Amino acid sequence: MTTERYNPKDVEPRWRQAWDQQELYRTRNDDPRPKYYVLEMFPYPSGRVHMGHVRNYTMGDVVARYKRARGFNVLHPMGWDAFGLPAENAARDNKVNPRDWTYANIASMKGQLKSMGLSLDWSREIATCDASYYRHQQAMFLDFWKAGLVERKSAKVNWDPVDMTVLANEQVIDGKGWRSGAEVEQRDLTQWFFKITHYAEELLQSLDGLDRWPDKVKLMQRNWIGRSEGMLVRFELDQSTAPEGVTEIECFSTRIDTLFGATFMAISPDHPLAGRVAGQQPALARFIEQCRLTGTSESAIETAEKLGYDTGLRVRHVLDPERTLPVYVANFVLMGYGTGALYGCPAHDQRDLDFARKYALPVIPVVLPPGRDAADFTVSDEAYGDDGTMINSGFLDGLANDAAWEAVAVRLETSSLEGKPQGTRKVNFRLRDWLISRQRYWGCPIPVIHCDDCGAVPVPRQSLPVELPSDVSFDKPGNPLDHHPTWKHCHCPQCGKPARRETDTMDTFVDSSWYFARFTDPANEASPTTLSAVDGASGWLPVHQYIGGVEHAILHLLYSRFFARAMKATGHLNTVEEPFEGLFTQGMVVHETYRDASGAFVLPSDVRIDVTGANRRAVHLETGAPIEIGPIEKMSKSKKNVVDPDEIIASYGADTARWFVLSDSPPDRDVIWTEDGVQGASRFVQRLWRLINEIAVLAGPPLAMPALFDEASLALRRVTHKSLQSVETDLERLAFNRCVAHVYTLANQISKSIDAMSTDQPEADMRFALREAGQILVQMVAPMMPHLGEECWQAMGNSGMVASAAWPQTDAALLVDDTLTLPVQVNGKKRADVTVPADADNATIEASVRGLDTVIRALEGRAIRKIIIVPRRIVNVVG
RNA sequence: GCGGGCGUGGCGAAACGGUAGACGCAGCGGACUCAAAAUCCGCCGUAGCAAUACGUGUCGGUUCGAGUCCGACCGCCCGCACCA
């Protein structure tokens, strides 16, 4: 029998067309079946799909197809995160319009995604740069503003000097802009903020309920939110040293137990008091100026030497009024955290200790480590930050430091300074409000008009959307909207006087913070969401399975969690606060790097690898010049270690690419792209095609289940159903690499069964078992390789499509064997196997084990002390 | 510095505390072929002819039994970082 080679070039487009014609992946909101929403993070339309996309979207597609087969009404949409700076850069460099550039990229990427055979509902496609999307975002901005969740304020902000725009704290990585890589500077600017800190506590607490999120991501968010419990402590200024009218300094501290060890106070150069004193002390003014000069970039601040300036001011110690502490202005004190002032306790804080040593300030140990003697405990150059017993601390002496904490808290709460408590408990967060203003053109305009008389005025609802002008110039650096000759000029909606439009646009992370909600009813023109469809009893949210890169662990995922709460508060969601019930962060696609003699990177497609024994050598495909094989790294254009999905799909087909990215590596780890691996995947495609055709011939047409099965056919059925169950378990766990292994196992077993047959005209029981195995094999494969699945399904003689077939049922009776072969250990080392009936009781098993020669030999004459039988697992003889 | 994760064949990896290395890649041997490709069969942790012994980064512990749990150390990766 000969079967024609499977040709994906013919087969794949044919089935994609068939799916489209039947509108198989079009999802209806009113479908009564249970809903399942699977979503992959939508792409930025850079113009080309890369292998990371292929891996991401394949995983989501496997889940979507599997859940569909299991009877769910599946929502699996796709859209475009289409605003952002690359469009402006392209416009500047190539004299194209950002809109044209973006939509052209969307068109070509859409074609590429379609060629992957993804089961997406394209009727719900959205692009965030489309006014039909961003008009709703503008409306929600105004709703949030009205609800008190938006604020315009002046603050020190992160300025990216290359992109010429401000950045949110989350977008500053190692002191550099997340996109440009430029050193970020600090500037004072008036900007728009979303008050994410309003939900700080809730965003933190709710992480506990996200049990289908990776712990790692939850931890990163916890750290980012950075909750700490402490006290605000008010220190009275010694009036003989203080400027007129300033009577106290308030500090935030989490270690009030160490208060008796305080030997100085430090305030930020940006602290109002520092400014006041600098007015009288030119030297201080110079010092503050110096701090600002060295400290405009984030990384400079981090590496800067700790510097302080003694202002001459003194504060009274709150628990020991006899003592006063010097007040320094210090460059390491951040105005944005706590109150911008702190007291230093050098013995128990490393940074304070460094500072104290530098400026010869006293170091008083107040927490004695367990097992140490107070008489000889000193702190030299290493601060002691752990628990212990209080010493040198007046009324606290002898207490454990946590008890001392509480005692100090009570004392400060009940003692007063100028009629108010000296201290109040305070929970402080590291999280700052989300700065959303961007001085860029290609983003969602902030719908606000500035009037000299009325201030910042919302654009009236009926005037939305505030659309971007299309005639912009990128000749000058800075914000093209601001340079536009007419766009910003308008009239105040309140008083009618000439006024100016806000020329800042929104951070593109705003766009991606609610797109998942928009997908539930993207055609709604009246409002951002449709309450009957978005969540609640008849709605889609939360997303049941969200899949994307771990690089969004904080930014996008935290912003989206904020947005869900803000949308609920403003009536755009019914009940949902957590938008993503299940989160999966997939690994990257990595590849070897290649360099020629000059050190320049070379594309893998220009390299030939020669293997001789264990040696691999690379040469340039055209020139034959030797190529150096470098480390395996994330695919990137700069290192040229990229493989173009288009080329892979063109030469091997989409299914091979899909199969490969699912194979081998666990999906949360990086997968190494290799030519050998792709060929292996491609070989399996052909092998499966041959195997299914062979099965179809041997099994013949469908027949009723025979009453009896012989040993061989029963064994095949058992393997089939066990494989099916394993695949089910592992698909639920998104363990695609294991699913691939189960598919291989079943295919291998079917081949073995066929080889073992003595005839090519098997009996009815074997024909039934073969047909069943073939059908189930195809259905197991179909979510991962959908085109091949259809072709095989047809070859098996089925009339419908496998994409709309119900998932097969496992037969529980076939999942357990009649007999069990248990490994037998003697003192923990395996010595034998014993085969017993599956329902054998422990006495029977013990008896057969006692009689085994190998067991007796291994015991070397010792008596059996006991026999441990783990049901269906193992027997251990202890002697 | 703080927090988290991970160390298993030549490689990617499997393994509810229960037979370590499933499955794949590479490699080796064979069949088919004039030959090659494709395909099929077999081998494939180390040592040993074998029985067997030893093997999951290192050292120790818990257990009838440890890759898995606990402690210490070594190495790699990731996140945060002057956060009071």
Side-chain angles (χ1 to χ4, degrees):
Chain A
M1 181 196 66
T2 56
T3 302
E4 283 201 24
R5 238 182 112 70
Y6 177 80
N7 186 356
K9 279 197 193 77
D10 293 343
V11 173
E12 293 188 347
R14 182 153 44 80
W15 286 112
R16 285 200 294 272
Q17 204 184 356
W19 297 327
D20 280 352
Q21 265 166 14
Q22 296 201 10
E23 296 193 335
L24 219 53
Y25 309 127
R26 186 154 191 161
T27 305
R28 313 195 74 90
N29 285 348
D30 58 4
D31 187 315
R33 293 173 299 170
K35 290 180 162 59
Y36 191 91
Y37 188 177
V38 54
L39 185 66
E40 302 95 61
M41 292 179 185
F42 68 164
Y44 176 78
S46 58
R48 305 293 297 168
V49 164
H50 55 68
M51 276 304 168
H53 292 128
V54 172
R55 194 176 192 206
N56 191 192
Y57 300 136
T58 300
M59 288 180 192
D61 196 48
V62 173
V63 174
R65 288 175 179 277
Y66 173 66
K67 289 292 176 181
R68 220 175 267 122
R70 304 250 34 182
F72 288 91
N73 181 27
V74 171
L75 178 56
H76 186 217
M78 182 56 72
W80 309 96
D81 189 12
F83 272 137
L85 208 44
E88 286 186 54
N89 293 339
R92 184 194 58 212
D93 299 342
N94 307 322
K95 303 284 175 209
V96 293
N97 183 286
R99 176 178 285 107
D100 297 341
W101 182 85
T102 302
Y103 280 100
N105 285 349
I106 287 174
S108 61
M109 285 177 78
K110 188 173 174 180
Q112 289 184 296
L113 289 184
K114 287 204 161 184
S115 73
M116 287 176 60
L118 303 170
S119 61
L120 292 164
D121 182 356
W122 283 105
S123 73
R124 294 179 188 244
E125 178 183 4
I126 53 180
T128 57
C129 65
D130 206 296
S132 66
Y133 181 81
Y134 71 68
R135 68 182 301 161
H136 300 295
Q137 192 163 303
Q138 292 174 338
M140 283 198 288
F141 172 92
L142 297 177
D143 291 341
F144 289 6
W145 195 7
K146 212 168 159 186
L149 294 168
V150 172
E151 196 175 11
R152 183 170 153 84
K153 62 186 175 190
S154 172
K156 272 223 174 322
V157 296
N158 308 300
W159 177 260
D160 185 322
V162 169
D163 285 350
M164 305 266 291
T165 185
V166 297
L167 296 172
N169 288 322
E170 290 82 357
Q171 291 164 346
V172 179
I173 316 289
D174 293 333
K176 298 185 172 66
W178 73 292
R179 189 174 270 289
S180 70
E183 295 270 331
V184 167
E185 299 167 7
Q186 302 297 304
R187 289 198 179 178
D188 273 307
L189 286 173
T190 301
Q191 301 279 284
W192 291 98
F193 290 83
F194 279 149
K195 292 173 77 175
I196 190 169
T197 54
H198 178 73
Y199 294 106
E201 183 75 49
E202 226 187 293
L203 287 167
L204 182 72
Q205 294 302 322
S206 309
L207 287 170
D208 294 336
L210 296 173
D211 40 57
R212 289 208 301 117
W213 276 43
D215 289 339
K216 182 178 151 186
V217 173
K218 287 189 278 190
L219 190 73
M220 282 166 69
Q221 292 214 354
R222 273 188 199 106
N223 291 338
W224 188 263
I225 295 168
R227 182 185 197 272
S228 48
E229 286 182 20
M231 269 201 125
L232 289 172
V233 185
R234 298 163 63 220
F235 286 78
E236 185 188 3
L237 271 163
D238 179 345
Q239 279 307 308
S240 64
T241 63
E244 186 98 13
V246 186
T247 57
E248 62 177 66
I249 300 177
E250 194 174 37
C251 296
F252 175 74
S253 172
T254 58
R255 285 298 304 270
I256 52 170
D257 49 331
T258 64
L259 201 43
F260 276 100
T263 56
F264 68 94
M265 174 165 287
I267 64 174
S268 166
D270 301 314
H271 196 282
L273 180 60
R276 276 292 294 277
V277 179
Q280 297 151 10
Q281 298 186 26
L284 175 57
R286 282 195 297 277
F287 176 78
I288 293 173
E289 190 53 31
Q290 191 194 335
C291 289
R292 296 219 168 111
L293 280 179
T294 55
T296 55
S297 84
E298 286 265 338
S299 60
I301 292 170
E302 278 165 29
T303 51
E305 189 189 1
K306 287 172 188 50
L307 293 175
Y309 178 93
D310 187 349
T311 59
L313 274 64
R314 313 244 351 149
V315 290
R316 200 165 303 288
H317 192 285
V318 285
L319 298 178
D320 186 1
E322 302 306 308
R323 280 165 60 196
T324 61
L325 310 177
V327 177
Y328 282 76
V329 172
N331 62 348
F332 63 84
V333 183
L334 307 170
M335 193 58 218
Y337 188 80
T339 62
L342 58 88
Y343 68 81
C345 180
H348 305 289
D349 182 285
Q350 192 59 47
R351 185 202 47 208
D352 294 349
L353 183 61
D354 296 345
F355 190 81
R357 290 299 180 215
K358 179 158 180 158
Y359 293 100
L361 295 159
V363 177
I364 308 170
V366 291
V367 180
L368 184 67
R372 294 294 299 270
D373 184 351
D376 66 5
F377 177 62
T378 55
V379 169
S380 52
D381 57 0
E382 202 171 314
Y384 179 72
D386 292 332
D387 290 343
T389 310
M390 303 311 296
I391 51 172
N392 303 324
S393 292
F395 72 101
L396 302 172
D397 281 351
L399 289 175
N401 64 295
D402 52 349
W405 203 103
E406 201 50 38
V408 171
V410 170
R411 171 74 66 101
L412 295 180
E413 280 172 324
T414 51
S415 62
S416 78
L417 177 66
E418 293 183 352
K420 286 186 285 182
Q422 190 125 37
T424 43
R425 289 173 204 256
K426 160 93 177 173
V427 175
N428 205 37
F429 293 94
R430 209 188 73 109
L431 183 71
R432 311 292 162 77
D433 281 331
W434 176 13
L435 166 56
I436 60 155
S437 300
R438 295 292 178 275
Q439 290 70 45
R440 302 302 338 162
Y441 161 72
W442 193 233
C444 171
I446 295 174
V448 171
I449 289 166
H450 297 284
C451 170
D452 287 337
D453 292 349
C454 308
V457 179
V459 170
R461 299 291 163 140
Q462 65 274 14
S463 306
L464 295 182
V466 176
E467 284 201 64
L468 289 168
S470 47
D471 53 335
V472 278
S473 150
F474 296 90
D475 298 342
K476 278 189 278 183
N479 184 355
L481 279 182
D482 200 30
H483 302 154
H484 192 277
T486 56
W487 186 78
K488 67 179 169 187
H489 301 297
C490 62
H491 293 276
C492 173
Q494 270 176 29
C495 70
K497 279 190 188 166
R500 300 168 317 280
R501 279 191 195 288
E502 173 66 67
T503 57
D504 286 354
T505 52
M506 293 185 211
D507 180 5
T508 57
F509 277 95
V510 178
D511 311 340
S512 55
S513 294
W514 69 284
Y515 76 109
F516 47 86
R518 184 68 185 163
F519 276 135
T520 62
D521 189 8
N524 185 339
E525 288 179 22
S527 49
T529 60
T530 306
L531 287 176
S532 61
V534 68
D535 68 340
S538 61
W540 287 101
L541 291 178
V543 173
H544 297 99
Q545 187 62 60
Y546 197 36
I547 307 177
V550 73
E551 66 273 18
H552 292 111
I554 294 169
L555 292 154
H556 164 57
L557 291 166
L558 188 61
Y559 293 149
S560 297
R561 297 180 62 224
F562 159 74
F563 239 81
R565 286 165 174 79
M567 284 173 74
K568 185 183 164 193
T570 51
H572 297 296
L573 285 174
N574 298 295
T575 54
V576 161
E577 294 185 330
E578 286 301 335
F580 312 119
E581 186 182 284
L583 173 69
F584 189 84
T585 54
Q586 105 261 3
M588 298 180 297
V589 182
V590 295
H591 196 287
E592 278 180 340
T593 47
Y594 306 109
R595 285 172 190 260
D596 64 18
S598 72
F601 287 107
V602 181
L603 286 167
S605 52
D606 291 335
V607 171
R608 191 184 72 231
I609 309 280
D610 295 326
V611 180
T612 42
N615 290 322
R616 294 174 73 243
R617 282 177 50 202
V619 293
H620 197 280
L621 205 55
E622 280 167 24
T623 65
I627 296 286
E628 192 194 335
I629 301 178
I632 297 167
E633 296 186 61
K634 179 185 181 176
M635 284 191 181
S636 74
K637 278 181 200 146
S638 59
K639 300 239 165 90
K640 285 200 175 179
N641 58 340
V642 287
V643 175
D644 183 3
D646 261 1
E647 287 176 23
I648 297 298
I649 292 173
S651 44
Y652 295 97
D655 286 336
T656 294
R658 293 171 60 120
W659 188 248
F660 177 75
V661 293
L662 295 171
S663 307
D664 289 350
S665 290
D668 52 346
R669 269 189 240 176
D670 292 349
V671 65
I672 304 170
W673 186 278
T674 62
E675 186 61 24
D676 283 335
V678 180
Q679 282 174 6
S682 179
R683 273 199 302 275
F684 183 69
V685 168
Q686 297 297 338
R687 185 181 154 210
L688 190 78
W689 174 241
R690 285 193 306 272
L691 181 62
I692 289 298
N693 279 281
E694 199 177 355
I695 291 169
V697 170
L698 289 169
L703 70 172
M705 178 152 54
L708 288 173
F709 289 89
D710 70 8
E711 203 181 315
S713 57
L714 188 63
L716 178 57
R717 293 199 70 204
R718 288 215 159 99
V719 172
T720 301
H721 283 261
K722 282 178 184 169
S723 298
L724 175 61
Q725 192 191 38
S726 301
V727 166
E728 285 172 10
T729 313
D730 285 329
L731 280 177
E732 297 287 351
R733 295 166 47 181
L734 308 182
F736 306 112
N737 58 320
R738 291 161 45 121
C739 294
V740 166
H742 301 315
V743 167
Y744 275 111
T745 305
L746 179 56
N748 291 346
Q749 285 302 316
I750 297 174
S751 294
K752 281 203 166 68
S753 294
I754 293 175
D755 287 350
M757 288 182 347
S758 51
T759 166
D760 56 6
Q761 297 197 323
E763 299 295 319
D765 61 334
M766 185 47 104
R767 294 212 309 276
F768 182 91
L770 273 175
R771 165 158 286 278
E772 179 184 55
Q775 293 278 96
I776 286 178
L777 179 62
V778 171
Q779 289 201 265
M780 274 162 44
V781 166
M784 299 185 264
M785 297 197 280
H787 313 87
L788 178 64
E790 296 296 355
E791 195 71 3
C792 290
W793 191 245
Q794 194 177 57
M796 288 288 293
N798 297 289
S799 52
M801 288 200 268
V802 71
S804 50
W807 192 254
Q809 291 274 323
T810 50
D811 183 339
L814 293 168
L815 299 177
V816 286
D817 293 313
D818 300 338
T819 60
L820 282 175
T821 299
L822 296 174
V824 179
Q825 293 183 335
V826 176
N827 295 329
K829 278 199 174 12
K830 195 208 162 187
R831 296 295 175 183
D833 289 302
V834 65
T835 301
V836 293
D839 55 0
D841 59 13
N842 284 358
T844 315
I845 297 172
E846 273 196 46
S848 26
V849 165
R850 280 173 192 277
L852 290 171
D853 286 348
T854 40
V855 170
I856 293 161
R857 216 181 314 131
L859 281 167
E860 293 168 331
R862 290 185 301 268
I864 294 175
R865 285 199 281 134
K866 63 175 163 177
I867 296 179
I868 293 157
I869 297 171
V870 183
R872 314 190 66 80
R873 277 272 163 205
I874 202 166
V875 181
N876 193 13
V877 180
V878 185

